[in-house]
Amino acid sequence: MAKFIIQGRKPLKGKITVSGSKNAALKIFPVSLLTQEPIRLFNVPEIEDVFRAQEMLISLGGEVKKIKKGVYEIKFNGKKSLDMPASLVNKFRASIMFVGPILAIYGKVRFPHPGGCVIGAGARPIDLFLNGFQKMGAKVKIFRHECGQDYYYLTVKRLRGANIFFPKISVTATESLMMTAVFAEGETILKNCAMEPEIVSLAEYLNSCGAKIKGAGTSTISVKGIKKLKGGEYKIIPDRIEAGTFAMLAAASNSGEVLIKNCQPNHLEALWTLFDKIGVNYSLTKDSVLIKPAKKLLACDVTTHEYPGFATDLQSPYTVLMTQAHGSSLIHETIYDRRLLFTDMLTQMGANIIMADPHRVVVNGPTKLYGRQLVSPDLRAGMALIIAALIASGRTEIDNIYQIDRGYERLDERLRLLGADIKRVE
Ligand code: UD1
């Protein structure tokens, strides 16, 4: 298994460029099923999750052509396949995004529970999606496939517009119902929607191809059904999570000037508000962030929240940053119940962290960190461990880096340009 080997405490300075947003890129592949015209994509991040989305599109009868780095042309040719291959569905949760478009064009779709079995404990739920499709007229059956895995089978004669209230705010459920409603008969009103910039970007793209979507970026979205969608061009917005993570890396390292380029700082206002309280020395332009060494970092509590609040995807690097700040900070993770478990590895590295319950930890800082042998548990925690290793004394080995490659493109190469000592060992 590939791993990263990091020799910590090298001064970090220079420029780093932010890639296209993973969470925006992943959604354009399912959207491409809604038209048989080609779509030209720009600023595509070349990361494992995006490769899985490309494979899914190809397995359903689509084509993916790389024009040059970051520029692709994708096209769906309408070959009928209502089965989503388990080998891909099991690999990435965003595969759930293909369900609505397949249902919209074929009236049926079969797929296993993303990431595992239907009743399996701990599987991330998909009830918000299923309830939405049912409101639009779909019938949902669960059956045991010959491979032994439980599958969902959804059928509908004609999707119809519906009034859908999400009992919980979900990014992918909002996007999925929004794209599915494009071909439903009449108007769909989605309430208590997520408001992330990736949703706004997706709605703008769909509207540029003929869809009639209003309200994306607010909690109520309306979609008027249409009959045909054109192809078009989609420029993927910069990854705000990557930009925020690099900013926290530079602040935690506190060793030189780091310029983070090609980003949209206006998507990270919750982070800048915290930086003001912590005392991070930063300045912003329309598309860049400059972090300079600060005199002293102060601890500050944080609670994760849906956009525009502080993103759960930024929580793990923030927790590492707090190990370098003076005082105690309470980190309250409200969205996922397993996202603080990685702090155990920070404790092994020398951090002073007390877990109050699965949703809350208290970090007492500042503490020195020391290199250790670690395993990346997931994408965001894996990235946080890299930050911890870069500021720690000595050598750290991080195993299972597929989990990091899922969302960060050529991370080791880009960090080396800042002066980091990080090697990939296959
Ligand atoms: C998306 C992002 C992910 C981010 C998360 C929260 C993508 C591909 N991923 O994930 O990076 O961490 O938003 O900002 O865009 N839930 C249900 N039932 C459902 C669906 C979700 O209960 O049917 C719950 C989840 O368990 C979680 C909460 O809703 O507690 C939010 O999850 P959701 O926004 O759906 O996360 P994702 O869209 O999967």
Side-chain angles (χ1 to χ4, degrees):
M1 226 190 295
K3 53 174 103 163
F4 282 138
I5 298 187
I6 296 167
Q7 197 67 43
R9 295 196 66 74
K10 303 284 177 212
L12 300 182
K13 57 178 190 304
K15 296 176 188 165
I16 190 160
T17 304
V18 173
S19 303
S21 158
K22 167 179 91 73
N23 288 348
L26 286 176
K27 321 301 166 50
I28 193 67
F29 295 94
V31 158
S32 72
L33 298 184
L34 299 175
T35 176
Q36 293 192 18
E37 293 181 17
I39 304 174
R40 179 68 64 118
L41 308 180
F42 299 90
N43 203 28
V44 179
E46 298 186 346
I47 53 177
E48 293 296 331
D49 270 12
V50 166
F51 297 146
R52 298 297 86 73
Q54 294 179 353
E55 286 161 18
M56 180 68 85
L57 175 60
I58 292 167
S59 80
L60 294 169
E63 288 165 29
V64 176
K65 206 174 358 159
K66 181 168 177 171
I67 311 293
K68 60 180 184 180
K69 180 159 173 16
V71 181
Y72 287 76
E73 190 169 282
I74 58 176
K75 190 174 176 306
F76 179 61
N77 61 22
K79 188 179 110 187
K80 287 207 176 197
S81 170
L82 55 102
D83 279 306
M84 292 170 57
S87 56
L88 286 170
V89 175
N90 288 338
K91 269 193 199 139
F92 74 118
R93 168 157 170 101
S95 58
I96 184 76
M97 301 303 300
F98 284 86
V99 171
I102 301 176
L103 187 65
I105 55 175
Y106 299 142
K108 34 188 155 174
V109 53
R110 266 194 302 251
F111 61 102
H113 190 93
C117 59
V118 176
I119 310 139
R124 277 159 81 180
I126 59 165
D127 54 308
L128 300 176
F129 298 79
L130 297 179
N131 292 342
F133 297 140
Q134 278 171 321
K135 285 244 165 164
M136 294 171 87
K139 291 201 169 59
V140 177
K141 273 194 207 149
I142 298 175
F143 72 100
R144 179 60 56 92
H145 194 268
E146 56 196 22
C147 70
Q149 200 172 351
D150 286 331
Y151 266 60
Y152 297 95
Y153 184 36
L154 274 53
T155 50
V156 69
K157 276 214 176 77
R158 177 91 172 90
L159 285 168
R160 49 171 196 272
N163 194 344
I164 299 168
F165 179 87
F166 295 111
K168 213 168 179 182
I169 298 176
S170 159
V171 175
T172 42
T174 299
E175 292 168 326
S176 169
L177 274 297
M178 183 175 86
M179 61 174 83
T180 306
V182 165
F183 282 166
E185 199 176 332
E187 187 171 13
T188 299
I189 309 278
L190 305 172
K191 292 184 189 150
N192 202 25
C193 294
M195 303 193 280
E196 270 65 2
E198 293 77 17
I199 301 173
V200 177
S201 159
L202 185 66
E204 283 171 356
Y205 168 75
L206 283 164
N207 283 342
S208 76
C209 299
K212 294 193 168 142
I213 301 172
K214 280 195 186 142
T218 74
S219 64
T220 302
I221 297 178
S222 77
V223 186
K224 283 199 176 125
I226 55 162
K227 294 244 155 45
K228 201 169 183 299
L229 200 69
K230 294 185 294 196
E233 291 194 343
Y234 187 48
K235 178 155 191 232
I236 290 155
I237 57 172
D239 197 308
R240 65 196 159 90
I241 302 303
E242 196 176 89
T245 302
F246 291 157
M248 285 189 272
L249 163 64
S253 160
N254 211 12
S255 52
E257 280 192 18
V258 176
L259 180 69
I260 300 154
K261 296 193 313 175
N262 188 31
C263 56
Q264 260 181 267
N266 63 330
H267 290 163
L268 285 162
E269 296 206 61
L271 181 62
W272 313 136
T273 308
L274 279 171
F275 272 17
D276 290 337
K277 291 188 185 159
I278 299 166
V280 176
N281 187 355
Y282 73 100
S283 54
L284 309 176
T285 69
K286 213 169 117 262
D287 59 3
S288 71
V289 182
L290 178 66
I291 308 285
K292 291 185 186 171
K295 283 202 185 86
K296 185 178 178 183
L297 300 177
L298 300 174
C300 185
D301 297 347
V302 77
T303 299
T304 62
H305 197 279
E306 293 83 10
Y307 191 85
F310 187 83
T312 168
D313 287 351
L314 292 175
Q315 173 269 108
S316 43
Y318 185 80
T319 305
V320 177
L321 176 61
M322 284 301 97
T323 67
Q324 303 308 301
H326 291 253
S328 297
S329 46
L330 173 71
I331 316 286
H332 187 177
E333 168 57 63
T334 60
I335 318 272
Y336 296 111
D337 47 16
R338 298 180 65 82
R339 269 216 158 151
L340 284 170
L341 297 184
F342 86 104
T343 57
D344 192 36
M345 283 188 257
L346 297 181
T347 305
Q348 287 171 35
M349 295 177 84
N352 180 345
I353 298 179
I354 300 158
M355 182 163 277
D357 61 49
H359 283 279
R360 290 176 305 162
V361 296
V362 175
V363 184
N364 297 304
T367 46
K368 273 195 153 182
L369 301 181
Y370 300 91
R372 291 282 181 268
Q373 274 208 300
L374 308 169
V375 178
S376 170
D378 64 61
L379 172 63
R380 305 304 175 188
M383 182 65 216
L385 294 179
I386 289 186
I387 299 178
L390 289 170
I391 61 174
S393 300
R395 180 180 191 270
T396 298
E397 248 184 68
I398 303 179
D399 219 321
N400 194 25
I401 60 170
Y402 174 79
Q403 283 301 331
I404 300 169
D405 291 335
R406 278 183 45 217
Y408 297 93
E409 183 181 327
R410 296 176 300 103
L411 184 65
D412 46 333
E413 283 175 38
R414 288 191 288 161
L415 291 176
R416 276 198 294 274
L417 292 177
L418 289 182
D421 183 346
I422 174 169
K423 279 192 209 84
R424 175 185 292 266
V425 180
E426 297 293 340

